[in-house]
Amino acid sequence: MRKIIFLTSIILTTMLLANCDKTEKDTSIPVITLLGANPLSYARDSVFVDPGYTAIDDVDGDISSLVKVSGTVDTSTDGIYLLKYNVLDASGNSADEVTRLINVMVF
């Protein structure tokens, strides 16, 4: 009887330890959501203020503070400007890049 209990405990311990090493890898990408309108229209010579964005990851939660914004808006010159937003989560998954279009013109 002792042998059966001993062997059963070894088998159960081995099964538990084997399952401890199986952690699911985070493969889902974060999602960036632009706040405000897209496209935006700004009067020439006004001050451009980005309405903002959020970035949410299903594992890391709110990672908005990690978003990288590239591009510039020159409100002294009429034209169409693009701002691009991207972010990586802690596992290195990159969000689908989001673009905001800004029209600068005389009103």
Side-chain angles (χ1 to χ4, degrees):
M1 184 70 164
R2 284 185 174 176
K3 284 184 178 182
I4 292 174
I5 293 173
F6 178 73
L7 288 173
T8 302
S9 65
I10 288 178
I11 291 170
L12 289 174
T13 302
T14 303
M15 289 172 59
L16 287 172
L17 290 175
N19 286 330
C20 287
D21 291 337
K22 294 183 180 177
T23 56
E24 289 190 34
K25 184 174 178 355
D26 175 14
T27 58
S28 60
I29 63 172
V31 175
I32 299 171
T33 303
L34 295 179
L35 304 177
N38 189 30
L40 287 172
S41 294
Y42 267 80
R44 185 172 17 148
D45 297 322
S46 65
V47 176
F48 174 73
V49 177
D50 190 328
Y53 46 83
T54 61
I56 305 297
D57 183 69
D58 66 343
V59 174
D60 300 329
D62 186 344
I63 56 172
S64 301
S65 64
L66 302 177
V67 171
K68 304 290 184 211
V69 182
S70 62
T72 58
V73 178
D74 179 4
T75 59
S76 68
T77 305
D78 290 356
I80 298 172
Y81 299 88
L82 296 176
L83 294 179
K84 295 181 180 185
Y85 303 79
N86 213 326
V87 69
L88 293 174
D89 66 15
S91 296
N93 300 310
S94 180
D96 288 335
E97 186 173 76
V98 176
T99 302
R100 186 187 303 273
L101 181 87
I102 300 98
N103 295 308
V104 175
M105 63 187 102
V106 176
F107 282 100

